[in-house]
Amino acid sequence: MAMAASYASASTLSSKNNSRMTAWVRSYDPSVMMPRFIVTLTSYMTVGTIALFTVTSLFCFFFALSVLEDLIRAAIPTRLWQQDWTVAVDKVRLHLTTLAEWERRNKDTWPFRYQDTDRFHDMLCALTDYLKNYVQQHKAQTATTTNKTHNENSSSSNHHHE
C-alpha cells in the first residue's frame, strides 16, 4: 500500500511537471520572444561598437600625437630645444607669486566664499615653491656643468701649451 501511495504521488508530480512544460511550450509566443532577442542582440552590438570605436579613437589619437611630436622635433631647430628655460620658468613663478598675493588680499571682497578659501592660495604657493626649487636646482646643475667644462678646457689648454 505504501508503494502504491508513493507511485501515485510520483505520477502526480510527473503529471504536474508535464503540465508545466506543456504550459511553457504553449506560452512560447514568437511575437514576444523575438523582439526580446532583437533588443538583447542590439544592446550587445551597441556596446561592442562603442568599445571598438573608443579603442580605435584612442589608438588614432596617440598615433597622431606621436607623428605631431616627430614633426615638431624635425621642424624646430635643435638650438631651441637646448635653450635655458629657467628664465621663462622663473618669470612664470614671479607671475604666480603676484597672483597668489593678489588673491590673498582680495578674497575677502569676493561675493562668493567657500568653506576652505585657502586651498587655492596654498596650491599657488606650493607651485611657486616647486618652480623656485626647480630653477635653483637647474642653475646649480648648470653652474656645476659649466665649471667642469671650464676646468677641463683649462687643463687641456695647459697641456697643449707645455
Side-chain angles (χ1 to χ4, degrees), residues 97-138:
T97 303
T98 305
L99 175 65
E101 291 170 359
W102 176 85
E103 184 266 338
R104 175 71 79 165
R105 282 191 311 265
N106 294 329
K107 73 178 177 182
D108 292 334
T109 62
W110 292 349
F112 54 89
R113 291 197 171 66
Y114 295 104
Q115 185 176 356
D116 188 12
T117 56
D118 290 335
R119 187 171 291 180
F120 181 70
H121 181 77
D122 292 342
M123 183 200 66
L124 285 176
C125 290
L127 184 62
T128 56
D129 287 343
Y130 173 78
L131 292 175
K132 179 181 169 186
N133 291 338
Y134 172 80
V135 168
Q136 288 175 347
Q137 181 181 5
H138 189 71

Side-chain angles (χ1 to χ4, degrees), residues 12-77:
T12 306
L13 284 175
S14 176
S15 66
K16 283 183 182 178
N17 285 339
N18 284 341
S19 66
R20 285 184 189 160
M21 290 291 278
T22 310
W24 180 79
V25 169
R26 284 186 194 143
S27 71
Y28 174 74
D29 185 10
S31 64
V32 173
M33 293 301 284
M34 200 58 166
R36 262 192 214 154
F37 172 74
I38 291 174
V39 168
T40 304
L41 180 67
T42 306
S43 64
Y44 281 125
M45 293 293 288
T46 304
V47 168
T49 304
I50 290 171
L52 184 66
F53 178 76
T54 303
V55 169
T56 305
S57 297
L58 285 174
F59 172 78
C60 291
F61 172 74
F62 285 115
F63 181 73
L65 193 64
S66 172
V67 168
L68 182 66
E69 180 188 10
D70 291 342
L71 286 174
I72 288 173
R73 287 193 183 272
I76 293 178

Side-chain angles (χ1 to χ4, degrees), residues 1-14:
M1 189 145 202
M3 183 71 119
S6 70
Y7 178 72
S9 66
S11 68
T12 306
L13 284 175
S14 176

